[in-house]
Structure formats: C-alpha cells, structure tokens
Amino acid sequence: MPAHPTTLVLGDTPTTRLYGTRPGQLTPIPDRVRRPRVLSWGMGVDSSAALMRWLTDPTSRDWPLTDLTVVLSHTGDEWASTLTTAERHVLPALRHHGVRLVQLGRRGPSHTQDGVVVLDDSTRPTRLHGQGAYTLAEEMLSAGTIPQSGGARLCSVHAKGEVLDSAIGHLTQGRPFEHLIGFEANETSRATKDARHNTPCRTGSYPLIDWGWDRAACTTDLRARTGATFPKSACSYCPFALAAVRSGSREEVLRRFSTDQAPADLALTMETTATALNPKQGLIGGKRLVDLVRSRPELRPTLARFHQNLEHREHALYRVRRVLRPRRDDPTKLGNAVRSIQTVATGTREAMDATLGEMARRANQALDTTDPDHQRLWVHHRGPALPTREQFLVMAPHTAHDKTGRGFDQAWAKASQATLW
C-alpha cells in the first residue's frame, strides 16, 4: 500500500494540509479489508506491547496484518524519550510489515470548529511528529489554567479521544470495525466504561486484558522483543502522573525533570500562571508542583534554572474577576465559577512587579503576600454568601489571553451592583 496524502480534515470536509503540498482526503480503509481493526496507539508501554506482539508473533492473532490500521493522536507535549524509543523500535516493524500509521493532531482548541490535522499517513513511517500542530500546553497556557485531575480526564478526551474518533470515522466510513485499545489487565473498569460506547459499527477490543498482561508483563515482553525498556507515555506536566505515588510515576517525572530542563520549565510555567490567576490551582491534585520541587534537593538546580529562565520571559499584570455561583438545587453550596481575565500591562518581570507596587501605593493598600509565589492587590474579596464575587490584580508570565467567560457580565451584575474599579 503506498503512502497516503497528508490532509487536514475539518468536520467532514478536507481542506488545506498542514504538511505536504498536494490536497487530498484521509483515504478510507480499502473495501478489500473485510474486518478493519483500528489500534489506538499511545506510544507507551501497554499499547506498544500489544502492537509489537502482533507484528512479531503471527500466532498472537487470527487476522492478517493487512486488516490493521494504527492511529495516533499527538498532544504535542510527549516526553522526548518516549518518542525516541517508539520511533527507534516500533516504526521499523511497521515499515517492515507495511502497516498503515496515521498520525493526527488538533488544529485548535476545538476539533469540531478548528479541525483535525493529519500529520502523516503512511505504511512507511520514518518519524513521529511529536510536536503536533496545536499542543495541549498551548491551550492550557493561553487559558491560564492546568489540566484538571478531578473527574473525567477531559484533557485526554479533547486532545486524543475526540481527534481519534473523528479520524476513525473517516477511515471506516460507517463500516463495522474492531477498535483495539491497550488497557492492561488491571484496567478492566476502563474497558467496561469504554464498552458502553460500542455501536452496531464499533466494537471495543482489549487484547491485553484477554491475555492477562499487566504493566509488568507488557514491560517484560517489550524488553524481550526489542531489547529496550519503554517509558510511560504522558505529557510532561500530566497531573495524573504527578499524583501517582504508588506506581512510581511521580518519581519518574521528577527524575526526568532533573535531566531535562525544558519539560520542567513548561510544567512550572504553566502552574505559575494558573496559580497566579487562581490560587486554588496546582498540578498535584490542587497542591503545587513547585512546592514538591522545592522539597527535593536533587531538583534545586532545576528550580534555579527555571527561575533564571523565568526572568527572561515577558510578564503581564492581569486583572482577574471571578463570580462564584450557587448550585441550583442547593443555593448554600458552590456550583461553579465564571471569570474574566484582562491584561493591564506587559513588560519585564521587574517592571510588572514595580507597576503592581505603584498601583498598591496609589490605592493606599498593602499587597497581599500570603501566597509565597504571588503578590496580589485585592480590589474585592469574596463574601460568605453565594453568589459572590472577587477581584484582584496579579503578575504572572504573559501566557494567558484576555478572556471573559460565557455569562460573566450577567453573573457579575447579579453578584454585585458595585462600581468596578
């Protein structure tokens, strides 16, 4: 099978490509494939173990490799070591067997409005386009927030799941297909949840669970087949990895931070902006990554370089207004919040610090220094009853874009009729 043209898919309409020169559409799986099998490959241990076993052991499957299509959605913030390992050991096997690999990414925050970028589509893949097109970090930084660790993994849903579903729909064209997912043996609950999304066309399949392979078994088998130890796949600022103490994921992230400055800077910068705009944020379940880094002697050089690099970044003085709204069924309990972010001034960190201090002096008000990472000039503190509002000025790296949440003006007016400062 020849390489397929690389296209940008926007909804159901292919438009201009991000890479390459010829226009074209994401080619559907050929009709000669009677039962398409589509693997969602994450480049990490689990899905790589299943893929490498199928590629190297024909007895592990009762279907030909011509039935297999591998799809991959890049968040743009994967660890370099994960990309390098997968590129070095998995891509040669895909090329050898002529298995199609479709690499995807988002073009903007919304896959439906902004489109899905096909970074590469080939049966002879030579590299992984890990930089993506629109990264999850870009979304988080521009919004002045971090991936949320409570509830559903919405960051993964938006950056991976929705992208893959869109592309798989183009590939299968309404034909029945088997969706292969690398949940390991201890993730039966995830498989059960995923199976609820089955349709007359889509059937979820979980080979590692069928084989009884847990993470350790996957790691051992991959090492036996490739001679390499595959690292876990995750964004370098993943709150789930940072919160996973028992599995060793947190220690692995910190070890990587000690040897790779760029991912550490990205995670800490993201958190710095987010905690400036909302002190209740934090990359470790509401707790701050920077506090953990401070507590680890081996990471002192990493933290020192981060602060040095931070000095060279443009900073902004932000006005933050937030309305906290009650639940509909219980007005005494917090339901949700909506906020407005406005850039007041930009410049060096030193200049913005001086500007904030001058504004405090002009207002004859002391800066709030109770937060060890940020000084705030409070205009209005939230009250005890809901709805309530708060407003303050704070300095942070200039990453967040001005944004007023939907319904903010009405909520602000309802919370208070006070004249805005």
Side-chain angles (χ1 to χ4, degrees):
M1 184 189 299
H4 297 274
T6 306
T7 68
L8 169 65
V9 179
L10 181 58
D12 292 327
T13 305
T15 57
T16 307
R17 300 189 302 165
L18 181 68
Y19 296 95
T21 57
R22 294 181 303 165
Q25 187 173 0
L26 185 60
T27 308
I29 295 172
D31 291 339
R32 66 176 177 273
V33 177
R34 295 183 179 179
R35 177 70 170 176
R37 289 170 171 84
V38 182
L39 170 67
S40 292
W41 180 39
M43 299 180 293
V45 177
D46 301 334
S47 57
S48 294
L51 178 56
M52 289 303 294
R53 188 185 186 195
W54 288 326
L55 293 174
T56 59
D57 179 10
T59 65
S60 65
R61 48 185 166 76
D62 57 3
W63 40 269
L65 287 177
T66 51
D67 287 0
L68 180 63
T69 300
V70 180
V71 292
L72 164 62
S73 180
H74 289 288
T75 65
D77 302 306
E78 181 62 74
W79 291 98
S81 58
T82 300
L83 291 166
T84 299
T85 303
E87 203 169 69
R88 183 176 299 163
H89 298 284
V90 179
L91 295 197
L94 291 173
R95 291 196 299 269
H96 177 74
H97 292 282
V99 174
R100 182 181 182 184
L101 172 63
V102 181
Q103 300 184 57
L104 308 155
R106 291 191 299 171
R107 189 169 177 257
S110 170
H111 82 285
T112 55
Q113 296 180 15
D114 301 308
V116 173
V117 178
V118 182
L119 301 165
D120 190 41
D121 181 2
S122 176
T123 57
R124 299 289 186 269
T126 58
R127 58 167 295 210
L128 292 172
H129 297 269
Q131 76 282 359
Y134 176 82
T135 71
L136 181 59
E138 287 181 81
E139 180 183 9
M140 297 293 105
L141 288 167
S142 65
T145 189
I146 56 176
Q148 302 304 299
S149 55
R153 300 191 181 196
L154 294 180
C155 54
S156 181
V157 170
H158 296 319
K160 291 188 174 183
E162 292 174 347
V163 173
L164 293 175
D165 288 345
S166 176
I168 290 172
H170 279 75
L171 289 167
T172 56
Q173 295 289 303
R175 298 169 56 194
F177 71 98
E178 190 172 348
H179 193 181
L180 305 164
I181 301 177
F183 294 142
E184 49 103 341
N186 293 316
E187 296 180 311
T188 54
S189 61
R190 293 185 70 186
T192 299
K193 184 177 180 180
D194 177 81
R196 297 172 188 161
H197 299 285
N198 285 340
T199 68
C201 291
R202 186 257 190 194
T203 301
S205 181
Y206 319 102
L208 297 175
I209 294 176
D210 294 339
W211 302 340
W213 283 17
D214 59 9
R215 177 64 54 78
C218 291
T219 300
T220 299
D221 192 79
L222 275 173
R223 189 181 297 118
R225 294 181 193 278
T226 67
T229 299
F230 276 58
K232 295 179 67 173
S233 171
C235 294
S236 57
Y237 46 82
C238 177
F240 299 100
L242 287 166
V245 178
R246 292 184 180 179
S247 67
S249 293
R250 175 184 291 182
E251 290 304 313
E252 176 64 12
V253 172
L254 297 180
R255 184 193 65 77
R256 286 170 152 177
F257 280 166
S258 68
T259 59
D260 198 340
Q261 187 67 34
D265 280 355
L266 177 60
L268 291 169
T269 300
M270 183 183 297
E271 185 183 69
T272 297
T273 302
T275 55
L277 304 178
N278 183 355
K280 295 186 178 296
Q281 295 272 22
L283 273 171
I284 311 177
K287 296 181 179 180
R288 297 185 184 181
L289 170 63
V290 69
D291 290 334
L292 177 61
V293 172
R294 287 190 186 108
S295 71
R296 305 296 287 264
E298 73 276 15
L299 291 175
R300 287 172 186 166
T302 299
L303 185 61
R305 286 191 293 270
F306 164 67
H307 285 302
Q308 291 171 2
N309 295 337
L310 198 62
E311 290 293 333
H312 299 289
R313 294 189 67 107
E314 182 178 61
H315 280 64
L317 191 60
Y318 292 104
R319 175 180 283 111
V320 181
R321 292 182 293 157
R322 182 178 288 106
V323 179
L324 294 91
R325 299 182 288 195
R327 284 171 44 176
R328 291 184 177 180
D329 60 341
D330 188 345
T332 66
K333 295 182 179 180
L334 177 64
N336 56 32
V338 60
R339 76 179 181 184
S340 171
I341 302 172
Q342 178 187 0
T343 304
V344 176
T346 61
T348 66
R349 188 178 186 182
E350 182 180 8
M352 292 301 96
D353 188 54
T355 301
L356 183 61
E358 177 60 26
M359 294 182 75
R361 284 189 292 273
R362 284 161 44 194
N364 195 27
Q365 184 174 336
L367 290 173
D368 182 352
T369 60
T370 56
D371 186 330
D373 300 310
H374 306 284
Q375 296 185 102
R376 293 181 178 84
L377 175 56
W378 283 93
V379 179
H380 191 89
H381 289 274
R382 66 180 65 174
L386 297 170
T388 186
R389 66 187 177 92
E390 64 182 20
Q391 181 180 182
F392 59 86
L393 289 102
V394 66
M395 178 187 70
H398 189 203
T399 68
H401 297 171
D402 288 7
K403 183 177 181 180
T404 298
R406 181 180 300 176
F408 173 82
D409 292 334
Q410 296 86 344
W412 183 265
K414 184 176 181 180
S416 174
Q417 297 300 319
T419 302
L420 305 187
W421 183 54

